[in-house]
Amino acid sequence: MTSSSLLPAFLQAVMQGQPRALKDPHYPGWHLAPVTGLMNDPNGFIHFQGEYHLFYQWNPLGCSHQNKSWGHWRSQDLVHWQHAPIALIPGEDYDRSGCYSGSAVDNQGQLTLCYTGNVKFDDGSRTAWQCLAVENAQGGFDKTGPVLALPEGYTGHVRDPKVWRQGETWYMVLGAQDKHKQGKVLLFHSGNLTDWTLAGEIAGSGLGGLGEAGYMWECPDLFHLDGQDVLIACPQGVTKQEKRFLNTYPVTWLCGTLQADGATFHHGPLAELDAGFEFYAPQTALAEDGRRLLIGWMGVPDGEEMLQPTVKNGWIHQMTCPRQLSLKQGRLFQQPVTELQMLRETESGWQGLASQAPEIPAERLEILLTRTPGKSATLHFGNDDLVLTWSDCELCLARRSQENGEWQYRYWDAPATGLQILCDHSSIEIFINQGEGVMTSRYFPAQPATLSFSGEAELQVRYWSLRACMVE
Ligand code: FRU
């Protein structure tokens, strides 16, 4: 199908699907989600000429991973968002199996998208083109075609360009799989955004002391932060450990020093960016005031995603809240952006034994908690749809499998002194120790959901209900 033949079907899907999605009690009240169909990765996150732009992988035609297009939202303040014209629809020879993930840059005042044109063949093989598209006067995007074919030595799994400029040089990192089925991150450079030279592999399986670290690395993002270089990426095929890397695919970060000219990245160990059930393919952008911001997809591919109950209402997945990154003593911290405080309604507070705490409405909630060490406390979200147990040495988040009802667990395997928890109609984001750790998860409680407590720990609690904040 061509772009122009998909468009009428997209329009019909939105007209029919949006009312159903917005009526779903699990549809988020203040997070970004598709108005119908499937949304996955955030794409093209940028602050450009006074406004934030966030694009997203979108299949308007259903809850399957097909027809990948780029939806587009814009915002002045990261809290209130507007729909913008759909930016990319597959249909050219070079992107006919999907306009896959990528980034946005300011090229001499022109908002330019760098994305992967994915091409699947009947025999099951595939190829990928890295492509550009430029903004037009109508706020849409005109494709200008491929600028990079598959590099020698890699399979058809080469994708997700994250592009930035340093001085006069453009750089691009790409996720890749080499011919030995090892996941890698490739660094390229260019003087003009169209002619690209491979500088080398800067991280991946078998590199930088990592050992065996997966068969494919997706969605790399490389940036300078607080005096160091940070590489975020999504390695697929990393061995699960007792309390780490438990999702089908984790999101990881590496911190070190990049020598872009020599394409060497000296880095420390592979660390997990989020310990919750749903977090993948995050992307960062630089705010005007220099903050490094991150938004992630609150989903994970190839697990139980299709069993989520929203599928029967024709939509699936949402984004995380926007977060600010910082590096403290070599550790990557994430905190909700301060702009989100605009959503707070009246403040309440409580202090005492967890077992005596009042029930709190948790439909849309921000709650700050500290706990006196010694005894543990358990937080029950909804009708035990999500259970967080907080003891001296760890946090344990439990939820039942949508497939077989068995309890599943995720861990923050270190002491937690304080928590900041953000709830929406079907999601929770737990920021641990001012953002040293995060656990992001979906859950599907009957609404209006409540939060109740048990356990003998002494808790100090401040909380706010949050305003709903719809996209216009
Ligand atoms: C990550 C990912 C990317 C790809 C996109 C396709 O979730 O698989 O690697 O570009 O999704 O939607």
Side-chain angles (χ1 to χ4, degrees):
M1 279 224 259
T2 62
S3 315
S4 53
S5 62
L6 278 172
L7 198 53
F10 281 11
L11 195 57
Q12 182 192 24
V14 169
M15 288 187 291
Q16 290 182 337
Q18 178 164 15
R20 246 172 92 208
L22 299 192
K23 266 205 309 257
D24 184 340
H26 292 136
Y27 196 83
W30 60 274
H31 284 82
L32 292 166
V35 296
T36 193
L38 175 141
M39 182 202 76
N40 54 302
D41 313 353
N43 293 156
F45 188 23
I46 189 171
H47 188 266
F48 174 77
Q49 295 181 354
E51 239 186 337
Y52 293 99
H53 294 258
L54 184 71
F55 301 81
Y56 55 100
Q57 286 286 285
W58 187 26
N59 175 17
L61 295 188
C63 292
S64 61
H65 283 276
Q66 287 173 318
N67 307 305
K68 290 298 173 66
S69 302
W70 280 39
H72 182 190
W73 295 299
R74 31 202 317 161
S75 172
Q76 304 278 342
D77 60 8
L78 296 167
V79 176
H80 303 89
W81 294 86
Q82 282 103 43
H83 292 291
I86 186 164
L88 299 172
I89 298 178
E92 318 311 317
D93 272 354
Y94 54 82
D95 66 12
R96 61 176 186 264
S97 311
C99 298
Y100 274 17
S101 287
S103 51
V105 293
D106 178 347
N107 185 20
Q108 298 172 354
Q110 189 161 44
L111 185 56
T112 303
L113 308 182
C114 315
Y115 72 100
T116 299
N118 193 42
V119 178
K120 291 183 182 167
F121 301 108
D122 290 343
D123 65 1
S125 66
R126 62 166 83 190
T127 191
W129 301 93
Q130 311 315 319
C131 308
L132 300 182
V134 293
E135 191 175 25
N136 59 35
Q138 289 72 45
F141 286 82
D142 298 324
K143 296 177 185 174
T144 58
V147 290
L148 185 65
L150 271 190
E152 196 69 36
Y154 298 89
T155 72
H157 291 277
V158 176
R159 56 179 172 266
D160 310 333
K162 181 79 197 299
V163 179
W164 73 97
R165 193 176 50 200
Q166 212 170 295
E168 293 306 298
T169 308
W170 293 100
Y171 290 95
M172 168 165 67
V173 278
L174 275 178
Q177 177 182 64
D178 73 15
K179 291 273 196 240
H180 308 289
K181 301 262 163 64
Q182 297 297 298
K184 297 286 163 66
V185 175
L186 310 181
L187 179 72
F188 290 77
H189 56 80
S190 168
N192 55 12
L193 215 52
T194 51
D195 303 302
W196 291 94
T197 306
L198 177 62
E201 297 177 346
I202 54 159
S205 185
L207 296 178
L210 290 191
E212 195 68 35
Y215 54 83
M216 169 65 191
W217 282 37
E218 295 189 315
C219 300
D221 192 345
L222 179 61
F223 49 88
H224 200 65
L225 184 71
D226 299 332
Q228 302 250 41
D229 296 305
V230 176
L231 175 67
I232 293 176
C234 303
Q236 302 187 316
V238 171
T239 308
K240 287 188 184 4
Q241 299 178 3
E242 196 193 340
K243 294 190 176 176
R244 285 206 316 164
F245 303 140
L246 293 174
N247 289 346
T248 311
Y249 309 126
V251 180
T252 60
W253 59 273
L254 294 165
C255 176
T257 314
L258 176 76
Q259 242 109 43
D261 300 339
T264 52
F265 181 43
H266 293 288
H267 59 72
L270 195 69
E272 193 165 23
L273 186 57
D274 190 297
F277 287 98
E278 272 92 18
F279 183 76
Y280 201 67
Q283 194 173 85
T284 73
L286 202 55
E288 206 167 24
D289 58 10
R291 287 177 298 168
R292 178 58 61 174
L293 306 178
L294 174 144
I295 294 184
W297 170 33
M298 217 187 276
V300 179
D302 300 338
E304 291 190 356
E305 58 175 335
M306 292 307 156
L307 302 176
Q308 293 185 9
T310 68
V311 168
K312 67 176 183 309
N313 290 317
W315 69 281
I316 180 167
H317 298 311
Q318 67 176 61
M319 293 297 177
T320 68
C321 73
R323 304 169 179 181
Q324 175 177 353
L325 298 183
S326 57
L327 210 55
K328 293 178 198 155
Q329 276 131 26
R331 295 187 66 87
L332 187 55
F333 280 62
Q334 301 179 64
Q335 284 181 294
V337 293
T338 50
E339 284 89 335
L340 290 171
Q341 292 175 13
M342 276 189 251
L343 295 174
R344 288 176 176 175
E345 296 178 320
T346 11
E347 180 173 342
S348 307
W350 187 83
Q351 181 163 349
L353 283 188
S355 55
Q356 292 165 13
E359 214 171 67
I360 295 175
E363 209 177 356
R364 293 183 304 280
L365 172 72
E366 174 175 355
I367 180 164
L368 304 180
L369 304 111
T370 54
R371 179 185 131 271
T372 309
K375 302 276 175 24
S376 63
T378 302
L379 282 64
H380 307 260
F381 292 88
N383 188 16
D384 272 341
D385 298 286
L386 198 65
V387 179
L388 179 68
T389 305
W390 186 4
S391 57
D392 279 349
C393 54
E394 70 171 19
L395 285 170
C396 175
L397 185 66
R399 188 180 75 177
R400 285 186 188 277
S401 154
Q402 301 274 357
E403 194 173 4
N404 54 27
E406 280 174 21
W407 284 100
Q408 301 173 319
Y409 304 95
R410 295 292 182 270
Y411 305 90
W412 167 255
D413 192 17
T417 52
L419 306 180
Q420 177 180 13
I421 303 180
L422 298 176
C423 299
D424 201 340
H425 300 158
S426 56
S427 69
I428 173 167
E429 290 160 274
I430 307 168
F431 295 85
I432 305 157
N433 301 343
Q434 316 276 357
E436 184 184 6
V438 189
M439 300 177 94
T440 301
S441 292
R442 299 297 301 281
Y443 83 121
F444 301 98
Q447 286 296 354
T450 54
L451 164 61
S452 57
F453 299 85
S454 64
E456 292 313 301
E458 167 95 14
L459 295 180
Q460 301 80 38
V461 178
R462 287 168 66 202
Y463 60 94
W464 298 261
S465 64
L466 300 177
R467 274 188 300 112
C469 183
M470 302 312 286
V471 180
E472 288 178 343

